Coordinates of all heavy atoms in Angstrom, one line a residue:
M1 N 15.4 3.2 -16.9 CA 16.4 4.2 -17.0 C 15.7 5.4 -17.7 O 15.0 5.3 -18.6 CB 17.5 3.6 -17.9 CG 18.7 4.6 -17.9 SD 19.9 4.1 -19.1 CE 19.1 4.6 -20.6
T2 N 16.1 6.6 -17.1 CA 15.7 7.8 -17.8 C 16.7 8.9 -17.3 O 17.4 8.9 -16.5 CB 14.3 8.3 -17.2 OG1 13.8 9.4 -17.8 CG2 14.3 8.4 -15.7
N3 N 16.7 10.0 -18.2 CA 17.5 11.2 -17.9 C 16.6 12.3 -17.2 O 17.1 13.3 -16.9 CB 18.2 11.8 -19.0 CG 17.4 12.2 -20.1 OD1 16.1 12.2 -20.0 ND2 18.0 12.7 -21.1
N4 N 15.3 12.0 -17.0 CA 14.4 13.0 -16.3 C 13.4 12.2 -15.6 O 12.3 11.7 -16.1 CB 13.7 13.8 -17.5 CG 12.9 14.9 -16.9 OD1 12.4 14.8 -15.7 ND2 12.7 16.0 -17.5
L5 N 13.7 11.9 -14.3 CA 12.8 11.1 -13.6 C 11.4 11.6 -13.3 O 10.5 10.9 -13.3 CB 13.5 10.8 -12.2 CG 13.0 9.6 -11.3 CD1 12.7 8.4 -12.1 CD2 13.9 9.3 -10.1
G6 N 11.4 13.0 -13.1 CA 10.1 13.6 -13.0 C 9.2 13.4 -14.1 O 8.0 13.0 -13.9
E7 N 9.7 13.6 -15.3 CA 9.0 13.4 -16.5 C 8.5 11.9 -16.6 O 7.4 11.6 -17.1 CB 9.7 13.8 -17.7 CG 8.9 13.8 -19.0 CD 7.7 14.6 -19.0 OE1 7.7 15.7 -18.3 OE2 6.6 14.3 -19.6
R8 N 9.4 11.0 -16.3 CA 9.1 9.6 -16.4 C 8.0 9.1 -15.4 O 7.1 8.3 -15.8 CB 10.4 8.7 -16.1 CG 10.2 7.3 -16.5 CD 10.1 7.1 -18.0 NE 9.9 5.7 -18.3 CZ 8.8 5.2 -18.9 NH1 7.8 6.0 -19.2 NH2 8.7 3.9 -19.1
L9 N 8.0 9.7 -14.2 CA 7.0 9.4 -13.2 C 5.6 10.0 -13.8 O 4.5 9.2 -13.6 CB 7.3 10.1 -12.0 CG 8.5 9.3 -11.2 CD1 8.9 10.3 -10.0 CD2 8.1 8.0 -10.7
K10 N 5.6 11.1 -14.4 CA 4.3 11.6 -15.0 C 3.8 10.7 -16.1 O 2.7 10.4 -16.2 CB 4.6 13.0 -15.6 CG 4.7 14.1 -14.6 CD 4.9 15.4 -15.3 CE 5.3 16.5 -14.4 NZ 5.6 17.8 -15.1
Q11 N 4.8 10.1 -16.9 CA 4.3 9.2 -18.0 C 3.7 8.0 -17.4 O 2.7 7.5 -17.9 CB 5.6 8.9 -18.9 CG 6.1 10.0 -19.7 CD 7.4 9.7 -20.4 OE1 8.0 8.7 -20.1 NE2 7.9 10.6 -21.3
H12 N 4.3 7.4 -16.3 CA 3.8 6.3 -15.7 C 2.3 6.6 -15.2 O 1.4 5.7 -15.5 CB 4.5 5.8 -14.5 CG 5.8 4.9 -14.8 ND1 5.7 3.7 -15.4 CD2 7.1 5.3 -14.8 CE1 6.9 3.2 -15.6 NE2 7.9 4.2 -15.2
K13 N 2.2 7.7 -14.6 CA 0.8 8.1 -14.1 C -0.2 8.2 -15.2 O -1.3 7.7 -15.2 CB 0.9 9.3 -13.2 CG -0.4 9.7 -12.6 CD -0.3 10.8 -11.7 CE -1.6 11.1 -11.0 NZ -1.6 11.3 -9.6
E14 N 0.2 8.8 -16.3 CA -0.7 9.1 -17.5 C -1.0 7.7 -18.1 O -2.2 7.5 -18.5 CB 0.0 10.0 -18.4 CG 0.2 11.4 -18.1 CD 1.0 12.2 -18.9 OE1 1.4 11.7 -19.9 OE2 1.2 13.4 -18.6
N15 N -0.1 6.8 -18.2 CA -0.3 5.5 -18.7 C -1.3 4.8 -17.9 O -2.2 4.1 -18.4 CB 1.0 4.7 -18.9 CG 1.8 5.1 -20.1 OD1 1.2 5.6 -21.1 ND2 3.1 5.0 -20.0
I16 N -1.3 4.8 -16.6 CA -2.2 4.2 -15.7 C -3.6 4.8 -15.9 O -4.6 4.1 -16.1 CB -1.8 4.4 -14.3 CG1 -0.6 3.5 -14.0 CG2 -2.9 3.9 -13.3 CD1 0.1 3.7 -12.7
E17 N -3.7 6.1 -16.0 CA -5.0 6.9 -16.1 C -5.6 6.5 -17.4 O -6.8 6.5 -17.5 CB -4.8 8.4 -16.0 CG -4.4 8.7 -14.5 CD -4.0 10.1 -14.4 OE1 -3.8 10.9 -15.4 OE2 -3.9 10.6 -13.3
K18 N -4.9 6.4 -18.5 CA -5.4 6.1 -19.8 C -5.6 4.8 -20.1 O -6.2 4.3 -21.1 CB -4.3 6.7 -20.9 CG -4.2 8.2 -21.0 CD -3.2 8.5 -21.9 CE -3.0 10.0 -22.0 NZ -2.0 10.6 -22.9
G19 N -5.1 3.8 -19.2 CA -5.3 2.4 -19.3 C -4.5 1.8 -20.5 O -4.7 0.8 -21.1
N20 N -3.3 2.5 -20.7 CA -2.4 1.9 -21.8 C -1.9 0.6 -21.4 O -1.7 0.4 -20.2 CB -1.3 3.0 -22.1 CG -1.8 4.3 -22.7 OD1 -2.9 4.3 -23.2 ND2 -1.0 5.3 -22.6
K21 N -1.5 -0.1 -22.4 CA -0.9 -1.4 -22.1 C 0.6 -1.4 -21.9 O 1.4 -1.7 -22.7 CB -1.2 -2.4 -23.3 CG -2.6 -2.5 -23.7 CD -3.2 -3.7 -23.1 CE -4.6 -3.9 -23.6 NZ -5.6 -4.0 -22.6
T22 N 1.0 -0.9 -20.7 CA 2.4 -0.9 -20.3 C 2.6 -1.7 -19.0 O 1.6 -1.9 -18.4 CB 2.9 0.6 -20.0 OG1 2.1 1.1 -19.0 CG2 2.6 1.5 -21.3
F23 N 3.8 -2.0 -18.7 CA 4.1 -2.6 -17.5 C 3.6 -1.8 -16.2 O 3.0 -2.4 -15.4 CB 5.6 -2.9 -17.3 CG 6.0 -3.6 -16.1 CD1 6.1 -5.0 -16.1 CD2 6.3 -3.0 -14.9 CE1 6.4 -5.7 -14.9 CE2 6.7 -3.6 -13.8 CZ 6.8 -5.0 -13.7
A24 N 3.8 -0.6 -16.2 CA 3.4 0.4 -15.1 C 1.8 0.4 -15.0 O 1.3 0.3 -13.8 CB 3.9 1.7 -15.2
S25 N 1.1 0.4 -16.1 CA -0.4 0.4 -16.0 C -0.9 -0.9 -15.7 O -1.9 -1.0 -14.9 CB -0.9 1.0 -17.2 OG -0.6 0.1 -18.4
K26 N -0.3 -2.0 -16.1 CA -0.8 -3.3 -15.9 C -0.6 -3.6 -14.3 O -1.6 -4.2 -13.8 CB 0.1 -4.3 -16.6 CG -0.3 -5.8 -16.4 CD 0.5 -6.7 -17.2 CE 0.0 -8.2 -16.9 NZ 0.9 -9.2 -17.7
Y27 N 0.4 -3.1 -13.7 CA 0.6 -3.4 -12.3 C 0.4 -2.2 -11.4 O 0.6 -2.2 -10.3 CB 1.9 -3.9 -12.0 CG 2.2 -5.3 -12.6 CD1 2.8 -5.4 -13.9 CD2 1.7 -6.4 -12.0 CE1 3.0 -6.7 -14.5 CE2 1.8 -7.7 -12.6 CZ 2.5 -7.8 -13.8 OH 2.6 -9.0 -14.5
N28 N -0.3 -1.1 -12.0 CA -0.5 0.2 -11.3 C 0.7 0.7 -10.5 O 0.6 1.1 -9.3 CB -1.7 0.0 -10.2 CG -3.0 0.0 -11.0 OD1 -3.2 0.5 -12.0 ND2 -4.0 -0.9 -10.6
I29 N 1.8 0.7 -11.2 CA 3.0 1.3 -10.6 C 3.1 2.7 -10.8 O 3.2 3.2 -11.9 CB 4.2 0.5 -11.3 CG1 4.2 -0.9 -11.0 CG2 5.5 1.2 -10.7 CD1 5.3 -1.7 -11.7
E30 N 2.8 3.5 -9.7 CA 2.7 4.9 -9.7 C 3.7 5.5 -8.7 O 4.1 6.7 -9.0 CB 1.3 5.3 -9.4 CG 1.1 6.8 -9.4 CD -0.4 7.1 -9.1 OE1 -1.3 6.2 -9.1 OE2 -0.6 8.3 -8.8
F31 N 4.1 4.8 -7.7 CA 5.0 5.5 -6.6 C 6.4 5.0 -6.7 O 6.6 3.8 -6.8 CB 4.3 5.2 -5.3 CG 2.9 5.8 -5.3 CD1 1.8 5.0 -5.2 CD2 2.8 7.2 -5.1 CE1 0.5 5.6 -5.2 CE2 1.6 7.8 -5.1 CZ 0.4 6.9 -5.1
L32 N 7.3 6.0 -6.5 CA 8.7 5.7 -6.5 C 9.1 5.4 -5.1 O 8.8 6.3 -4.3 CB 9.5 6.9 -7.1 CG 11.0 6.8 -7.2 CD1 11.4 5.7 -8.2 CD2 11.5 8.2 -7.5
V33 N 9.9 4.4 -4.8 CA 10.4 4.1 -3.5 C 11.9 3.8 -3.6 O 12.6 3.8 -2.5 CB 9.8 2.8 -2.9 CG1 8.3 3.1 -2.5 CG2 9.9 1.6 -3.6
Y34 N 12.5 3.8 -4.7 CA 13.9 3.6 -4.8 C 14.4 4.2 -6.1 O 13.7 4.1 -7.2 CB 14.2 2.1 -4.8 CG 15.7 1.8 -5.0 CD1 16.6 1.8 -4.0 CD2 16.2 1.5 -6.3 CE1 17.9 1.5 -4.1 CE2 17.5 1.2 -6.4 CZ 18.4 1.2 -5.4 OH 19.8 1.0 -5.6
Y35 N 15.6 4.6 -6.2 CA 16.2 5.1 -7.4 C 17.8 5.2 -7.2 O 18.2 5.1 -6.1 CB 15.8 6.4 -7.9 CG 16.1 7.6 -6.9 CD1 17.3 8.4 -7.2 CD2 15.3 8.0 -5.9 CE1 17.6 9.4 -6.3 CE2 15.7 8.9 -5.0 CZ 16.8 9.7 -5.3 OH 17.2 10.8 -4.4
E36 N 18.5 5.1 -8.2 CA 20.0 5.3 -8.2 C 20.3 6.4 -9.3 O 19.7 6.4 -10.4 CB 20.7 4.0 -8.6 CG 20.5 3.0 -7.5 CD 21.3 1.6 -7.9 OE1 22.3 1.8 -8.7 OE2 20.9 0.6 -7.4
K37 N 21.2 7.1 -9.0 CA 21.7 8.2 -10.0 C 23.0 7.6 -10.6 O 24.0 7.3 -9.8 CB 22.0 9.5 -9.3 CG 22.4 10.5 -10.3 CD 22.6 11.9 -9.6 CE 23.0 13.0 -10.7 NZ 23.2 14.2 -10.1
I38 N 23.1 7.4 -11.8 CA 24.2 6.9 -12.5 C 24.6 7.8 -13.7 O 23.7 8.1 -14.5 CB 24.0 5.4 -13.0 CG1 23.7 4.5 -11.8 CG2 25.2 4.9 -13.7 CD1 23.3 3.1 -12.1
S39 N 25.7 8.2 -13.8 CA 26.2 9.2 -14.8 C 26.3 8.7 -16.2 O 25.9 9.4 -17.2 CB 27.4 9.9 -14.4 OG 27.3 10.6 -13.1
W40 N 26.7 7.5 -16.4 CA 27.0 6.9 -17.7 C 25.8 6.0 -18.2 O 25.4 5.0 -17.4 CB 28.3 6.2 -17.7 CG 29.4 7.1 -17.5 CD1 30.1 7.3 -16.3 CD2 30.0 8.0 -18.4 NE1 31.1 8.2 -16.5 CE2 31.1 8.7 -17.8 CE3 29.8 8.3 -19.8 CZ2 31.9 9.6 -18.4 CZ3 30.7 9.2 -20.5 CH2 31.7 9.9 -19.8
V41 N 25.4 6.2 -19.4 CA 24.2 5.4 -19.9 C 24.5 3.9 -19.9 O 23.7 3.1 -19.4 CB 23.8 6.0 -21.3 CG1 22.8 5.0 -21.9 CG2 23.3 7.4 -21.3
Q42 N 25.6 3.6 -20.3 CA 26.0 2.2 -20.3 C 26.0 1.6 -19.0 O 25.6 0.4 -18.8 CB 27.4 2.0 -21.0 CG 27.5 2.4 -22.4 CD 27.7 4.0 -22.6 OE1 27.8 4.7 -21.7 NE2 28.1 4.3 -23.8
Q43 N 26.5 2.3 -17.9 CA 26.5 1.7 -16.6 C 25.0 1.7 -16.1 O 24.7 0.7 -15.2 CB 27.3 2.6 -15.7 CG 28.7 2.6 -15.9 CD 29.6 3.6 -15.0 OE1 29.1 4.6 -14.7 NE2 30.8 3.2 -14.7
A44 N 24.2 2.6 -16.4 CA 22.8 2.6 -16.0 C 22.0 1.4 -16.6 O 21.3 0.7 -15.8 CB 22.1 3.9 -16.4
I45 N 22.3 1.2 -17.9 CA 21.7 0.0 -18.6 C 22.2 -1.4 -17.9 O 21.3 -2.2 -17.6 CB 22.0 0.0 -20.0 CG1 21.3 1.2 -20.7 CG2 21.6 -1.3 -20.7 CD1 21.7 1.4 -22.1
A46 N 23.4 -1.4 -17.7 CA 24.0 -2.6 -17.0 C 23.4 -2.8 -15.6 O 23.1 -3.9 -15.2 CB 25.5 -2.6 -16.9
R47 N 23.3 -1.8 -14.8 CA 22.7 -1.9 -13.5 C 21.2 -2.3 -13.5 O 20.8 -3.1 -12.7 CB 22.9 -0.4 -12.8 CG 22.4 -0.5 -11.3 CD 23.0 -1.5 -10.5 NE 22.6 -1.3 -9.1 CZ 22.7 -2.0 -8.1 NH1 23.4 -3.3 -8.3 NH2 22.3 -1.8 -6.9
E48 N 20.5 -1.7 -14.5 CA 19.1 -2.1 -14.6 C 19.0 -3.6 -14.9 O 18.1 -4.2 -14.4 CB 18.5 -1.2 -15.7 CG 16.9 -1.5 -15.8 CD 16.3 -0.6 -16.7 OE1 17.0 0.2 -17.5 OE2 15.0 -0.5 -16.8
K49 N 19.8 -4.1 -15.9 CA 19.7 -5.4 -16.2 C 20.1 -6.4 -14.9 O 19.5 -7.4 -14.7 CB 20.6 -5.8 -17.3 CG 20.2 -5.3 -18.7 CD 21.2 -5.6 -19.7 CE 20.6 -5.0 -21.0 NZ 21.6 -5.3 -22.2
E50 N 21.1 -5.8 -14.2 CA 21.5 -6.6 -13.0 C 20.4 -6.6 -12.0 O 20.0 -7.8 -11.5 CB 22.7 -5.9 -12.4 CG 23.2 -6.5 -11.0 CD 24.2 -5.8 -10.3 OE1 24.5 -4.5 -10.7 OE2 24.9 -6.3 -9.4
L51 N 19.7 -5.6 -11.7 CA 18.6 -5.5 -10.8 C 17.4 -6.4 -11.2 O 16.8 -7.1 -10.4 CB 18.1 -4.1 -10.5 CG 19.1 -3.1 -9.8 CD1 18.6 -1.9 -9.8 CD2 19.5 -3.7 -8.5
K52 N 17.1 -6.3 -12.5 CA 16.0 -7.2 -13.0 C 16.2 -8.7 -12.9 O 15.3 -9.4 -12.7 CB 15.8 -6.8 -14.5 CG 15.1 -5.5 -14.7 CD 14.8 -5.3 -16.1 CE 14.1 -4.0 -16.3 NZ 13.7 -3.8 -17.6
A53 N 17.5 -9.1 -12.8 CA 17.8 -10.5 -12.7 C 17.7 -11.0 -11.2 O 17.7 -12.2 -10.9 CB 19.2 -10.8 -13.2
W54 N 17.6 -10.0 -10.2 CA 17.7 -10.3 -8.8 C 16.3 -11.0 -8.4 O 15.3 -10.6 -9.0 CB 17.9 -9.2 -8.0 CG 19.3 -8.6 -7.9 CD1 20.3 -9.0 -8.6 CD2 19.8 -7.5 -7.1 NE1 21.4 -8.3 -8.4 CE2 21.1 -7.4 -7.4 CE3 19.2 -6.7 -6.2 CZ2 21.9 -6.4 -6.8 CZ3 19.9 -5.8 -5.6 CH2 21.3 -5.6 -5.8
R55 N 16.4 -11.8 -7.3 CA 15.2 -12.3 -6.7 C 14.5 -11.2 -6.0 O 15.0 -10.2 -5.6 CB 15.4 -13.4 -5.7 CG 16.1 -14.6 -6.3 CD 16.4 -15.6 -5.1 NE 16.5 -15.0 -3.8 CZ 17.6 -14.5 -3.3 NH1 18.7 -14.4 -3.9 NH2 17.7 -14.0 -2.0
R56 N 13.2 -11.3 -5.8 CA 12.3 -10.3 -5.2 C 12.9 -9.9 -3.8 O 13.0 -8.7 -3.5 CB 10.9 -10.7 -5.0 CG 10.0 -9.7 -4.4 CD 8.5 -10.3 -4.4 NE 7.7 -9.3 -3.7 CZ 7.0 -8.4 -4.3 NH1 7.1 -8.2 -5.7 NH2 6.2 -7.5 -3.7
E57 N 13.3 -10.9 -3.0 CA 13.7 -10.6 -1.6 C 15.0 -9.7 -1.7 O 15.2 -8.8 -0.8 CB 14.0 -11.9 -0.9 CG 14.3 -11.7 0.6 CD 13.2 -10.9 1.3 OE1 12.0 -11.1 1.1 OE2 13.7 -10.0 2.2
K58 N 15.9 -10.0 -2.6 CA 17.1 -9.2 -2.7 C 16.8 -7.8 -3.1 O 17.4 -6.8 -2.6 CB 18.1 -9.8 -3.8 CG 19.4 -9.2 -3.7 CD 20.4 -9.9 -4.6 CE 21.8 -9.3 -4.6 NZ 22.7 -10.1 -5.3
K59 N 15.8 -7.6 -4.0 CA 15.4 -6.2 -4.3 C 14.8 -5.5 -3.2 O 15.1 -4.3 -2.9 CB 14.4 -6.3 -5.5 CG 14.9 -6.7 -6.8 CD 13.8 -6.8 -7.8 CE 14.3 -7.6 -9.1 NZ 13.2 -7.8 -10.0
L60 N 14.0 -6.2 -2.4 CA 13.4 -5.6 -1.2 C 14.4 -5.2 -0.2 O 14.3 -4.1 0.4 CB 12.4 -6.5 -0.5 CG 11.0 -6.7 -1.3 CD1 10.3 -7.8 -0.8 CD2 10.3 -5.4 -1.4
E61 N 15.4 -6.1 0.0 CA 16.6 -5.7 0.9 C 17.3 -4.3 0.5 O 17.6 -3.5 1.3 CB 17.6 -6.8 0.9 CG 17.1 -7.9 1.7 CD 18.1 -9.1 1.6 OE1 19.3 -9.0 1.2 OE2 17.7 -10.3 1.9
L62 N 17.4 -4.3 -0.8 CA 18.1 -3.0 -1.4 C 17.2 -1.8 -1.2 O 17.7 -0.7 -0.7 CB 18.3 -3.1 -3.0 CG 18.9 -2.0 -3.7 CD1 20.3 -1.8 -3.3 CD2 18.8 -2.3 -5.2
I63 N 15.9 -1.9 -1.4 CA 14.9 -0.8 -1.1 C 15.0 -0.5 0.3 O 15.0 0.7 0.7 CB 13.5 -1.2 -1.7 CG1 13.6 -1.3 -3.1 CG2 12.5 -0.1 -1.2 CD1 12.3 -2.0 -3.7
R64 N 14.9 -1.5 1.3 CA 14.9 -1.2 2.6 C 16.1 -0.4 3.1 O 16.1 0.4 4.0 CB 14.7 -2.5 3.4 CG 13.3 -3.0 3.4 CD 13.2 -4.3 4.4 NE 11.9 -4.9 4.1 CZ 11.7 -6.1 3.4 NH1 12.8 -6.7 3.0 NH2 10.5 -6.5 3.2
A65 N 17.3 -0.7 2.6 CA 18.5 -0.1 3.0 C 18.5 1.4 2.5 O 19.1 2.2 3.2 CB 19.7 -0.8 2.3
F66 N 17.8 1.7 1.4 CA 17.8 3.0 0.8 C 16.7 3.8 1.5 O 16.7 5.0 1.6 CB 17.6 2.9 -0.7 CG 17.5 4.2 -1.4 CD1 18.5 5.0 -1.7 CD2 16.3 4.7 -1.8 CE1 18.4 6.1 -2.3 CE2 16.1 5.9 -2.5 CZ 17.2 6.6 -2.8
N67 N 15.5 3.1 1.6 CA 14.3 3.8 2.1 C 13.5 2.8 3.1 O 12.6 2.2 2.7 CB 13.4 4.1 0.8 CG 12.1 4.8 1.1 OD1 11.8 5.1 2.3 ND2 11.4 5.0 0.0
P68 N 14.0 2.8 4.3 CA 13.5 1.8 5.2 C 12.0 1.9 5.5 O 11.3 0.9 5.8 CB 14.3 2.1 6.6 CG 15.4 3.0 6.2 CD 15.1 3.6 4.9
E69 N 11.4 3.2 5.4 CA 9.9 3.3 5.6 C 9.1 3.2 4.4 O 7.9 3.4 4.4 CB 9.7 4.6 6.2 CG 10.5 5.0 7.6 CD 10.0 4.0 8.7 OE1 8.9 3.6 8.8 OE2 11.0 3.4 9.4
F70 N 9.8 2.9 3.3 CA 9.1 2.7 2.0 C 8.2 4.0 1.7 O 7.1 3.9 1.2 CB 8.2 1.5 1.9 CG 9.0 0.3 1.5 CD1 9.8 -0.4 2.4 CD2 8.8 -0.3 0.2 CE1 10.5 -1.6 2.1 CE2 9.5 -1.5 -0.1 CZ 10.4 -2.0 0.8
E71 N 8.9 5.1 1.9 CA 8.2 6.4 1.8 C 8.1 6.6 0.2 O 9.1 6.2 -0.6 CB 9.0 7.6 2.3 CG 9.0 7.6 3.7 CD 9.8 8.7 4.3 OE1 9.7 9.9 4.0 OE2 10.8 8.4 5.2
F72 N 7.0 7.2 -0.3 CA 6.9 7.6 -1.7 C 7.7 8.8 -2.0 O 7.7 9.8 -1.4 CB 5.5 7.8 -2.1 CG 4.5 6.8 -1.8 CD1 3.2 6.8 -1.5 CD2 4.9 5.4 -2.1 CE1 2.3 5.9 -1.3 CE2 4.0 4.4 -1.8 CZ 2.8 4.5 -1.5
L73 N 8.6 8.7 -3.0 CA 9.7 9.6 -3.3 C 9.3 10.6 -4.5 O 10.1 11.5 -4.8 CB 11.0 9.0 -3.5 CG 11.5 8.1 -2.4 CD1 12.7 7.3 -2.8 CD2 11.6 8.8 -1.1
N74 N 8.1 10.4 -5.0 CA 7.7 11.0 -6.3 C 7.8 12.7 -6.1 O 8.2 13.3 -7.0 CB 6.2 10.8 -6.7 CG 6.0 9.3 -6.9 OD1 6.5 8.4 -6.2 ND2 5.4 9.1 -8.0
D75 N 7.5 13.2 -4.9 CA 7.4 14.6 -4.7 C 8.9 15.3 -4.8 O 8.9 16.5 -5.1 CB 6.9 15.0 -3.3 CG 5.4 14.8 -3.3 OD1 4.8 14.7 -4.4 OD2 4.8 14.7 -2.2
R76 N 9.9 14.4 -4.8 CA 11.3 14.9 -5.0 C 11.6 15.3 -6.5 O 12.5 16.0 -6.7 CB 12.3 13.9 -4.6 CG 12.3 13.6 -3.0 CD 13.3 12.6 -2.6 NE 13.2 12.2 -1.3 CZ 14.1 11.5 -0.6 NH1 15.2 11.1 -1.3 NH2 14.0 11.2 0.6
F77 N 10.7 14.7 -7.3 CA 11.0 14.8 -8.8 C 9.9 15.4 -9.6 O 10.1 15.9 -10.7 CB 11.4 13.4 -9.4 CG 12.6 12.8 -8.6 CD1 12.4 11.9 -7.7 CD2 13.9 13.2 -9.0 CE1 13.5 11.3 -7.0 CE2 15.0 12.7 -8.3 CZ 14.8 11.8 -7.3
V78 N 8.7 15.3 -9.2 CA 7.5 15.7 -10.0 C 7.1 17.2 -9.4 O 6.8 17.3 -8.2 CB 6.3 14.8 -9.8 CG1 5.1 15.3 -10.6 CG2 6.7 13.4 -10.3
K79 N 7.1 18.1 -10.3 CA 6.7 19.4 -9.9 C 5.2 19.5 -10.1 O 4.6 19.1 -11.1 CB 7.4 20.5 -10.8 CG 8.8 20.5 -10.5 CD 9.6 21.6 -11.4 CE 11.1 21.5 -11.0 NZ 12.0 21.5 -12.1
K80 N 4.6 20.2 -9.1 CA 3.1 20.2 -9.1 C 2.6 21.6 -9.8 O 3.2 22.5 -9.9 CB 2.5 20.1 -7.7 CG 2.8 18.7 -7.2 CD 2.2 18.5 -6.0 CE 2.5 17.0 -5.6 NZ 1.8 16.4 -4.7

C-alpha cells in the first residue's frame, strides 16, 4: 500500500540495485502488472490483507482480468 506508486516503484528498484534485504530485492520484484486505487487507508489495508491470503492461482486470475497481456505498467507511474 502506498499513496505514491511511482515513488514506491523507484524504492523497489533501488532496493534491488543496492541488494537490500527486502521482499522486493529478494525476489527481484521490479515490474508492476496490477494495482488497485482505493481512497481510504483502512480499506486499502484490508484489501491488501485479503489478497495476501489468496492462493497464487486466484491472484493470477485477478491479474489476468486486469492486465491480460501481463504488460509492465511502471511507465504509467514512474517519471523518467
Side-chain angles (χ1 to χ4, degrees):
M1 184 192 78
T2 182
N3 64 357
N4 187 332
L5 192 49
E7 187 60 34
R8 190 69 182 116
L9 290 167
K10 285 181 191 176
Q11 290 171 353
H12 278 291
K13 186 172 180 135
E14 289 170 4
N15 283 330
I16 291 168
E17 290 170 354
K18 292 178 182 176
N20 292 341
K21 304 259 187 239
T22 65
F23 181 87
S25 63
K26 180 178 179 181
Y27 294 99
N28 286 326
I29 298 172
E30 183 178 345
F31 298 106
L32 179 69
V33 293
Y34 177 83
Y35 67 93
E36 291 181 24
K37 184 176 180 181
I38 299 174
S39 299
W40 296 97
V41 172
Q42 295 86 350
Q43 289 175 330
I45 292 169
R47 180 63 171 161
E48 186 174 10
K49 287 180 181 180
E50 177 185 16
L51 294 176
K52 284 183 177 183
W54 286 6
R55 296 177 340 275
R56 180 180 180 86
E57 188 56 40
K58 189 172 180 180
K59 292 175 189 177
L60 289 171
E61 289 173 17
L62 180 67
I63 295 167
R64 284 187 190 108
F66 178 81
N67 182 359
E69 302 299 320
F70 277 71
E71 295 177 48
F72 297 146
L73 307 174
N74 297 48
D75 289 343
R76 295 183 185 186
F77 302 98
V78 178
K79 296 180 177 133
K80 297 191 179 195

